[in-house]
Amino acid sequence: MFIENVSIKNLSNKFSTPFYCYSSKTIIEKFKKFKKPFQNSNVIICYAVKANPNIAILKILSRLGSGAEVVSQGELIRSLKAGINSKKIIFSGVGKSPNEIEYAIKKNILQINIESEEELKLIEKIAKKLKKKIQIGIRVNPNIDAKTHKKITTGRENDKFGLDINTAEKILTNFRSNLYIDLIGISVHIGSQITSIVPFKKAFFKIKNFVNKINKNKRIIKYLDLGGGIGINYNNNKTINFNDYVKIIKNISNNLQCKLILEPGRFLIADSGILVTKVLYIKKSKKINFAIIDAGMNDLLRPALYDAYHEINNINKNNGKKNYYTIVGPVCESADIFSKKILMNKIKTNDFLFIKNVGAYGASMSSSYNSRPIIMELIINKNKYSIIRKTDTVINQISREKIPSWAKKIK
Ligand code: LLP
């Protein structure tokens, strides 16, 4: 098993597991694939930083000309540090704090996407205080079911995201752009890991009609942000044909006179990464063969949170009878399961396994639950590897904690 020209077996013997390992080549190729059809068009690509915010990955994408879609001050700081042009940064999210808004305005980002009227008022107040102008987009909730996992669907009327079309229209008719606010954008994002083009089509055309209605007499909307959401193939299932997506985007932009913003996350990064882990124990119960590995749900949450499937392979090509294994982590939660009863070649204690397609929403969703350190991330470039995040230590974790003096006197 190699990533580019580096043997994963060598890496797993050299470093302690678990660790993430990415291929820079895959990231670069994916970005170029996404960018190519939109070259020379009015499209700004803003990578959804939440998918993987590692500064090295942001640097690669920044070098390729990507912008960023951020949902916190932290992601904004990372993006700027990686050299992403502030005029290609979009700030979204349903609950931005006043401090975050102030920071974003000061940094002259391209646009803040608002999700409530109160937020718009607050932004106006802050911009006025700063004597700065900020471009605003309204995130519209189109009431379209993205037909994805219920925890990552965002565009149905009872989801917390966006404003319904009528409220958006009301805001656009009542609020005039002024010295501090340029209300010229509409955004939509109906969910993630979307595997059919149909919901995209429905949502995008609904929004296009809305923009045409608003722009009928005067060109008010100049930016249309179509979000992210393209699903990838985790399980040899059918997913979206990228060319169909491109066709729809081009169709939308026809006669619209709007700049388009696209916010791919998973599509750009998911299949660039694996999680390398070691088998600690094999344990047989009455009906189940457990392979207990050293990676846990704190390192990769997707299977526990969304019952997400990630292919798991053995670095060794063991012979012997195939068997059904349930692969579990060490975290003290019954949900800490990576795969239930999958048929694999014999797994032995100390084997190295790797979990696939974890470049997106893998490391970015990790935690130190059970006081487990956040793990190392490596990236491969041709025949070289680089550590792009060191494993955290528990001493480092404790160093941020403090025992109050009274607690030391408790008898
Ligand atoms: N734009 C907005 C406003 C978003 O909320 C998201 C993702 C994206 C773009 C990027 O979506 P993508 O192209 O990656 O689908 N943790 C979940 C995914 C949550 C996605 C949240 N928003 C998972 O592991 O599946």
Side-chain angles (χ1 to χ4, degrees):
M1 167 61 192
F2 282 78
I3 288 194
E4 300 186 31
N5 302 326
V6 175
S7 146
I8 300 306
K9 194 165 192 171
N10 288 352
L11 289 180
S12 43
N13 284 322
K14 185 174 170 79
F15 294 109
S16 46
T17 51
F19 59 84
Y20 280 100
C21 187
Y22 311 108
S23 156
S24 61
K25 184 166 174 254
T26 310
I27 300 170
I28 294 168
E29 279 174 3
K30 267 295 168 72
F31 186 82
K32 289 188 172 164
K33 177 177 175 175
F34 195 94
K35 189 174 166 185
K36 199 166 170 221
F38 304 117
Q39 220 115 35
N40 310 320
S41 67
N42 266 338
V43 172
I44 307 172
I45 301 171
C46 295
Y47 165 63
V49 173
K50 62 179 84 62
N52 191 321
N54 188 291
I55 192 88
I57 285 168
L58 294 180
K59 187 73 194 178
I60 294 171
L61 293 169
S62 150
R63 297 286 306 167
L64 297 170
S66 183
E69 181 263 339
V70 303
V71 291
S72 68
Q73 184 171 353
E75 288 188 355
L76 176 50
I77 292 172
R78 283 174 176 274
S79 304
L80 293 170
K81 261 206 170 324
I84 293 179
N85 182 338
S86 66
K87 280 294 164 213
K88 287 187 182 172
I89 299 182
I90 296 283
F91 198 162
S92 19
V94 71
K96 305 169 201 84
S97 74
N99 283 344
E100 290 183 310
I101 291 169
E102 178 160 341
Y103 186 79
I105 297 175
K106 280 186 180 154
K107 293 294 170 188
N108 301 311
I109 67 165
L110 173 62
Q111 177 170 303
I112 299 181
N113 288 338
I114 59 147
E115 304 212 15
S116 67
E117 282 190 81
E118 288 199 354
E119 188 187 353
L120 178 61
K121 292 201 181 111
L122 177 65
I123 294 174
E124 188 182 17
K125 203 168 120 194
I126 296 172
K128 203 167 182 175
K129 183 184 89 182
L130 298 173
K131 297 196 176 59
K132 290 190 87 139
K133 193 166 197 166
I134 179 78
Q135 181 172 316
I136 299 293
I138 302 182
R139 175 158 173 185
V140 169
N141 180 324
N143 191 20
I144 303 278
D145 187 344
K147 300 266 178 342
T148 179
H149 190 279
K150 66 175 190 299
K151 288 183 182 162
I152 50 176
T153 189
T154 54
R156 299 166 308 182
E157 64 181 344
N158 291 328
D159 293 326
K160 71 173 176 176
F161 298 96
L163 288 161
D164 65 84
I165 283 196
N166 294 337
T167 310
E169 187 171 352
K170 202 183 85 198
I171 294 176
L172 284 160
T173 25
N174 295 341
F175 190 96
R176 285 280 149 256
S177 289
N178 57 36
L179 267 180
Y180 308 107
I181 299 287
D182 227 356
L183 187 56
I184 56 172
I186 294 290
S187 84
V188 64
H189 172 80
I190 57 170
S192 194
Q193 184 54 20
I194 299 169
T195 53
S196 153
I197 199 73
V198 180
F200 274 129
K201 228 183 198 163
K202 283 189 189 159
F204 292 171
F205 281 100
K206 198 164 182 177
I207 295 299
K208 179 173 179 164
N209 290 339
F210 178 59
V211 171
N212 279 333
K213 184 175 172 197
I214 299 294
N215 280 357
K216 198 164 172 210
N217 299 320
K218 187 169 169 236
R219 191 168 155 248
I220 294 171
I221 302 301
K222 297 179 183 134
Y223 286 79
L224 178 55
D225 175 349
L226 295 174
I230 306 175
I232 69 135
N233 208 331
Y234 285 103
N235 194 10
N236 283 329
N237 286 338
K238 225 180 97 216
T239 185
I240 287 173
N241 177 333
F242 181 59
N243 293 334
D244 291 344
Y245 178 80
V246 172
K247 246 188 244 159
I248 289 187
I249 300 288
K250 294 210 161 154
N251 217 322
I252 293 291
S253 62
N254 259 346
N255 308 322
L256 197 64
Q257 289 187 315
C258 272
K259 279 202 173 161
L260 291 191
I261 296 163
L262 302 175
E263 305 173 344
R266 188 187 316 265
F267 179 88
L268 296 182
I269 195 93
D271 56 7
S272 73
I274 59 171
L275 174 59
V276 181
T277 172
K278 191 172 177 170
V279 178
L280 297 173
Y281 306 103
I282 300 288
K283 173 167 97 169
K284 291 188 169 102
S285 74
K286 215 170 178 183
K287 290 194 180 136
I288 299 176
N289 283 320
F290 289 104
I292 302 164
I293 59 177
D294 62 1
M297 62 187 278
N298 68 302
D299 304 308
L300 174 66
L301 186 59
R302 302 194 73 256
L305 190 59
Y306 315 117
D307 288 318
Y309 174 84
H310 285 266
E311 188 181 322
I312 303 177
N313 291 312
N314 200 323
I315 286 178
N316 301 318
K317 288 246 172 317
N318 290 343
N319 297 319
K321 204 172 141 250
K322 285 196 178 211
N323 225 326
Y324 285 94
Y325 289 95
T326 290
I327 299 182
V328 302
V331 171
C332 297
E333 297 273 346
S334 302
D336 189 20
I337 296 180
F338 290 99
S339 218
K340 273 188 190 154
K341 294 190 179 168
I342 47 161
L343 190 61
M344 285 180 72
N345 281 338
K346 188 180 170 76
I347 301 178
K348 301 194 302 286
T349 302
N350 293 330
D351 277 356
F352 291 111
L353 307 183
F354 60 98
I355 306 178
K356 285 178 74 177
N357 299 318
V358 295
Y361 308 110
S364 68
M365 292 177 78
S366 63
S367 76
S368 51
Y369 184 43
N370 279 196
S371 288
R372 290 165 52 82
I374 303 271
I375 60 177
M376 181 176 74
E377 291 173 89
L378 295 174
I379 196 162
I380 310 286
N381 181 238
K382 300 189 178 101
N383 53 3
K384 278 206 198 96
Y385 67 81
S386 313
I387 297 175
I388 58 172
R389 177 182 190 139
K390 287 192 279 190
T391 308
D392 199 5
T393 62
V394 73
I395 295 300
N396 193 26
Q397 286 174 12
I398 297 171
S399 71
R400 292 193 299 266
E401 298 164 21
K402 202 161 182 247
I403 304 170
S405 55
W406 53 261
K408 295 177 191 161
K409 295 179 200 136
I410 292 174
K411 290 200 180 107

